[in-house]
Amino acid sequence: DKLEEGMYELLGKACLDACRAILKRNLTITYTNPAIMDVYVTIVCGELFDRRDLVDYGTKKLNEIYYHVMDAQTFDEYNCPGYSLLIANIFSIMLRHIENVDIQKKVNVLNNIVWTMLGKHYHNKTGEFAGPNLRQYGNFISARELSVYRRAIGMDVLSENEVCYDLMDVVYDVKCPTELKHLFLEDKSVDSKV
């Protein structure tokens, strides 16, 4: 009701065109981030536009991802902090936008795996993550990513001039599950034994 006349229909056509492209491309689940985005788009569009075929496609893909990740207890594609943040963002909006309770349960489990992986690799004293961060084309986590992570965890330790968000960070409003926040707050020391 807030859109100009005809805009809803145009946006609906654009969304359904995007879904047709997703179905045509049919990415494998090993291409983690885009496959998860495909799940979100097809299920949400299917629910919005009463398209059972899209909901079924997204649900089937989510089930493939879910059972594969549950078996491996991680994602095939190593997700450094930047890529993991992307997955956490998509899971965040999935939990807000998808109505199906069974789908939400699986997304919650996958979301917890992402945040557990991040928490286990986060070093509280330096504000950095262990692991191959060069996958994201930089040696250190960016100010933007650090701001988003700290906000997601509830750490209000940055001064106003250090906080750096982009528009989509506000839209995603990603949150770390409460029961996993301790992973980011506990001190981790390097074992000196060789």
Side-chain angles (χ1 to χ4, degrees):
D1 64 333
K2 293 179 177 55
L3 298 174
E4 294 177 18
E5 188 177 332
M7 185 59 72
Y8 182 80
E9 290 75 18
L10 287 172
L11 288 172
K13 182 184 178 322
C15 290
L16 293 173
D17 285 347
C19 289
R20 277 191 284 282
I22 288 168
L23 271 61
K24 184 176 180 180
R25 189 172 181 199
N26 196 24
L27 285 175
T28 67
I29 63 169
T30 56
Y31 197 15
T32 309
N33 301 338
I36 291 169
M37 289 180 216
D38 289 354
V39 168
Y40 169 73
V41 171
T42 53
I43 292 175
V44 169
C45 287
E47 289 180 344
L48 274 173
F49 301 107
D50 198 26
R51 290 282 305 271
R52 188 73 228 167
D53 60 321
L54 297 176
V55 174
D56 289 346
Y57 176 88
T59 303
K60 180 179 182 285
K61 179 92 54 179
L62 175 66
N63 285 334
E64 289 175 22
I65 294 167
Y66 177 82
Y67 291 113
H68 186 77
V69 169
M70 294 310 295
D71 186 47
Q73 283 300 296
T74 193
F75 296 90
D76 276 356
E77 185 180 32
Y78 174 77
N79 284 283
C80 65
Y83 286 108
S84 294
L85 180 58
L86 178 62
I87 289 177
N89 283 336
I90 300 304
F91 287 154
S92 175
I93 60 174
M94 284 174 123
L95 292 170
R96 288 199 314 268
H97 298 162
I98 292 175
E99 296 172 3
N100 184 297
V101 175
D102 293 328
I103 291 172
Q104 284 196 0
K105 286 178 185 174
K106 288 179 179 165
V107 172
N108 260 318
V109 170
L110 293 170
N111 189 49
N112 282 355
I113 290 172
V114 168
W115 284 100
T116 299
M117 179 178 63
L118 285 165
K120 286 182 175 180
H121 291 88
Y122 181 75
H123 186 255
N124 188 23
K125 291 182 180 177
T126 61
E128 290 294 335
F129 288 85
N133 287 3
L134 287 175
R135 172 93 201 294
Q136 67 180 25
Y137 317 111
N139 292 324
F140 301 103
I141 190 165
S142 72
R144 184 200 134 254
E145 290 164 336
L146 185 58
S147 294
V148 171
Y149 281 119
R150 288 188 172 171
R151 180 176 177 211
I153 297 158
M155 295 173 66
D156 297 323
V157 294
L158 293 176
S159 68
E160 215 172 281
N161 62 347
E162 292 176 300
V163 174
C164 174
Y165 299 114
D166 70 25
L167 176 62
M168 287 311 293
D169 296 328
V170 177
V171 171
Y172 289 128
D173 192 28
V174 66
K175 301 279 188 260
C176 175
T178 304
E179 67 274 15
L180 299 175
K181 289 181 180 182
H182 70 93
L183 294 172
F184 294 86
L185 303 174
E186 61 194 27
D187 288 334
K188 298 178 183 85
S189 59
V190 178
D191 188 351
S192 59
K193 296 177 185 173
V194 179

